[in-house]
Structure formats: structure tokens, C-alpha cells
Amino acid sequence: MEQQQANGGGSWGSFLKSIASFNGDLASLTAPPFILSSTSLTEFSSYWCEHPSVFVASAKESDAAKRALLVLKWFLTTLKQQYASRSEQYGNEKKPLNPFLGEIFLGKWEDDAGTTELISEQVSHHPPATAYAIVNLSAGVRLEGYNAQKASFSKTINIKQIGHAVLTVPSPSSREPDTYLITLPSLHIEGLIFGSPFIELDGSSYITSSTGFTAKIDYSGKGWLSGKKNSLTATLYPTGKEKDVLFNVTGQWTKTFDIHSGPAKHNSKDTLVASWDPAQSPTSELSVAPIEKQHPLESRRAWSRVAVAIAKGDLDAVGLEKSKIENAQREMRVKEKNEGRMWQRCYFSVPDAPDQVLTQLGPIVGLAEHGDADKTGGLWRFDLKKTEKERNRPLLSEDEAGKIARELLGQ
């Protein structure tokens, strides 16, 4: 065990030296097996909705300002799951598996909110981008979005998240639903020098709505002299009137935060609207089909051999099984190019017409009408027609599944 730890320490030091001297986007740097997680990035979309009842709560509120507040509350409750749950569970943050083009992850939550479905698909590989849709039909609430990451090194690993999300909520006063445009926070990795990396958020992100309200969330961490780890402050205000604060939020996105009415300078027990404590709010379990019943391109089935090797600590097998998938994917891209065709996405499309949400709300939060499509392989939107077609497609036979696994995954 001591020898393993010594080797691990040496490997970690070598890895830090490699990223410190690397020029360009770290996402293109092949990670050594010992820092890999057995979870693919396509699964990370599930972190948006591990509290489905909070996800759909805004649909039951008739007041537009309070509805916007419930959307803000829901977003803040997702942060711990998205950015801290793995390091808390395993002791440190590991690098997720880079999805291959066409990889999918499907699941659902069934609880007091009814059935909430998740569809996640890797829609682009160069540049890498994951698109997702989370739908609760009974409440009429839908989240769709896509994201990519650009990583660089300057004293630490800095990650800019590219993309956005759009939340659609039924309107009590209009046939047209309310839409909320959500930008993504930047982050960096702390604890690298100690070999125990964890994520810290920084900068600001926004949620702006078709109902005329905007929320700004500011993130900060523990400094040399003051501050708390994973701190946040947020304000909700009529769009364009940032000083007219209707509600404010203070606290830590990994622990508790408090919501008060009015600006923060007047915060007291009398202005307290609600508090959130993740320790007192257990997440709902995501249900995923057994691996043997999954499509060959579903994440957990496709990466199962890699996951087994990681669990065993067999780094040679990790490298071998990863290489099989990566080589098969490269060969398929060459074949597609030679045949003059492109990979067909199963659940998402790039619309031909300008996107109405970005046209209306994008300028408010600094998002271009093209949604940074040049950095994500396209402006991706959930495609209902494609989804229905996939759901009606006959189940694959064992021979058909085996052929897909051989051609696309090298298995």
C-alpha cells in the first residue's frame, strides 16, 4: 500500500508538471488513468434535477416575481450536486470520461413530482458538447440546454463553461409558456498541490426571463484572509433595474443559503422568506435501465469495461479499453468523411431559424444570438419529432447490438 501511495504521489506530481507546461485547451490533453472517474460527462446532466419537486415548483406559482424566485431557488439547489457531490463522496474530484459522439444517457425520477425524464446526448466531439433535456409532462416544465468546457492552466486549472440552458414553465395568464435563459458559472480547481482536487465556482451567472425579471448570482471562495468556501450572493430584480432588489440570497451553495425579501442591507428574521439546507433535503434517486437492457451507445453500457477496470485499479486495462473506444470512433469519423455523410443525432437538432429565446433574452445576459455555436458544434435544441421516432424504434436484437458495439466502440 505504501508503495502504491508513493507511486501515486509521483504520478500526480508528473501530471501537474504536464498540465503546467501544456499550451492550449486542457480538454484536448489525454488524462492519465489514475485520475479518471468511471462516470461519463453525459451523466452530469442529471445533476440539474435531483430535487424534482423543486424543479417543478414554479409551475404552481401564479405571481411572476415569486415564480422567478422559485426558478432561482431551484438553480441554486442544483449547484452542490453539479459541482461538489463527487468530491464529497470520493474524497476528491476526478476527471470524468470524455463522451464519444453519439453517446447517450437516459434516466428518470419518480417521486412526489410525478415522472421526470432525462435525455442526454453527446452532440459534438470536435468541439466536445453535451446536450440535455429534462421534462416533467404532468407539470409542463422542461429544461433543455447544452454545454462545453474550455480548460486552461494558470496557477490552477480554470474552466470556462460554454453554452446555456432554457427552462420553460407554463404561464397561468398566457397560452405561451414563460421562458428562463440560464448562463453557466465559471469554475477552477482547488487542492491540486495536495492531490485532493475540488471545484470552486467564481465570477457570475444569470437567469433572465420572458416575464421581465433577472437574477444575478455571484460566486466567491475562501481567500487568504476572509471568506467562506463555496460562497454565493444573489439578487432578483426587474430586468434593467439591478438596484431595485426584490429578493436576495446569501450563503454557501454546498451548505445552507437564506432567501430574504428586499436588498441584503435590510436582511433580518422579519425579511426571511425561505432557507435551504441540502443536508435536510435528500435527493431523489435517478432510475436507469439495467446495463444489459441499455442501447450499446448508452453511457454505462458503453463504458462498463472501463468502469470495471477503474474499480479494480487495473490501469493497463483502463488504458486498453479506453483506446478501443477512441480508436473505433476515429475510424468511424474517417469512414463518414470518405462516404460524405455525418453522424445523425438522435434527440437534438440545430434549428434553421433564429432562436427566439436567444434573440429576446440573450442581449440581457451577454449571450450572442448564435449561442456560441462555433464553440459547441451548433446551437442545439431538443427535437420532439426525433425523440418520438427513437421511442418507436424496435428494440435491437443481440446481433444488431453486437454489430454496433464492434463498429463504434471496438468491443
Side-chain angles (χ1 to χ4, degrees), residues 22-227:
F22 185 78
N23 291 320
D25 185 0
L26 289 178
S28 63
L29 184 66
T30 300
F34 70 90
I35 69 162
L36 284 178
S37 161
S38 59
T39 303
S40 168
L41 266 174
T42 57
E43 291 200 35
F44 282 35
S45 304
S46 66
Y47 297 134
W48 282 102
C49 192
E50 296 205 321
H51 297 97
S53 60
V54 184
F55 173 66
V56 302
S58 56
K60 301 176 182 177
E61 175 58 58
S62 59
D63 181 83
K66 292 179 180 178
R67 198 157 59 250
L69 178 64
L70 288 171
V71 171
L72 172 60
K73 177 185 175 182
W74 155 73
F75 174 79
L76 297 179
T77 66
T78 71
L79 296 177
K80 178 179 180 179
Q81 296 307 122
Q82 294 205 55
Y83 303 111
S85 59
R86 298 172 302 281
S87 58
E88 290 185 359
Q89 181 178 357
Y90 300 114
N92 59 66
E93 184 75 26
K94 291 185 177 289
K95 185 182 185 302
L97 297 168
N98 287 332
F100 54 84
L101 180 62
E103 180 178 333
I104 53 179
F105 182 73
L106 309 174
K108 61 183 177 180
W109 298 268
E110 292 182 306
D111 57 11
D112 294 344
T115 299
T116 308
E117 292 189 76
L118 164 69
I119 296 172
S120 181
E121 180 178 7
Q122 191 70 6
V123 289
S124 178
H125 188 65
H126 292 297
T130 308
Y132 50 85
I134 298 174
V135 182
N136 184 297
L137 288 177
S138 60
V141 177
R142 182 178 79 242
L143 177 76
E144 58 183 307
Y146 59 93
N147 68 283
Q149 295 85 28
K150 185 177 175 102
S152 60
F153 186 84
S154 176
K155 297 183 181 179
T156 186
I157 297 175
N158 301 290
I159 301 173
K160 180 183 179 182
Q161 297 199 91
I162 303 166
H164 61 274
V166 177
L167 182 72
T168 303
V169 181
S171 171
S173 58
S174 171
R175 289 185 178 181
E176 291 297 318
D178 299 339
T179 52
Y180 298 81
L181 178 60
I182 304 166
T183 67
L184 310 174
S186 296
L187 53 98
H188 61 272
I189 310 298
E190 296 280 0
L192 282 175
I193 196 169
F194 302 109
S196 299
F198 64 90
I199 290 173
E200 183 67 271
L201 303 180
D202 53 45
S204 303
S205 68
Y206 294 85
I207 306 172
T208 192
S209 72
S210 60
T211 59
F213 297 95
T214 298
K216 179 185 180 184
I217 306 104
D218 295 309
Y219 309 91
S220 61
K222 183 174 176 59
W224 287 104
L225 300 175
S226 63

Side-chain angles (χ1 to χ4, degrees), residues 52-53 65 68 100 112 115 121 130 166 170 226 241 246 256-257 261 300 311 316 323 332 357 373 399:
S53 60
F100 54 84
D112 294 344
T115 299
E121 180 178 7
T130 308
V166 177
S226 63
K241 300 179 180 179
L246 302 175
T256 61
F257 59 79
S261 59
R300 293 185 185 178
D316 290 336
S323 295
M332 179 53 66
V357 175
D399 287 344

Side-chain angles (χ1 to χ4, degrees), residues 19 113 377:
I19 61 176

Side-chain angles (χ1 to χ4, degrees), residues 334-388:
V334 171
K335 183 179 180 181
E336 288 172 344
K337 184 177 181 180
N338 291 339
E339 295 177 357
R341 59 186 176 90
M342 292 179 60
W343 179 261
Q344 297 300 307
R345 283 68 175 177
C346 292
Y347 299 98
F348 298 87
S349 296
V350 176
D352 295 327
D355 186 81
Q356 293 183 355
V357 175
L358 286 177
T359 300
Q360 177 189 2
L361 301 177
I364 298 171
V365 293
L367 283 181
E369 287 189 17
H370 57 70
D372 287 326
D374 56 326
K375 300 173 184 175
T376 54
L379 195 167
W380 300 98
R381 289 291 182 254
F382 185 51
D383 192 317
L384 287 171
K385 290 184 178 179
K386 280 187 175 182
T387 301
E388 285 303 313

Side-chain angles (χ1 to χ4, degrees), residues 219-235:
Y219 309 91
S220 61
K222 183 174 176 59
W224 287 104
L225 300 175
S226 63
K228 291 183 178 180
K229 178 180 174 182
N230 311 141
S231 293
L232 70 87
T233 59
T235 54

Side-chain angles (χ1 to χ4, degrees), residues 271-315:
T271 61
L272 183 65
V273 174
S275 296
W276 176 264
D277 181 355
Q280 303 300 319
S281 306
T283 60
S284 295
E285 183 178 357
L286 178 68
S287 174
V288 178
I291 285 181
E292 65 274 11
K293 293 186 178 181
Q294 293 181 13
H295 188 282
L297 300 185
E298 286 192 57
S299 295
R300 293 185 185 178
R301 179 167 176 171
W303 293 105
S304 59
R305 297 180 183 181
V306 175
V308 168
I310 289 174
K312 290 180 178 179
D314 187 343
L315 302 188

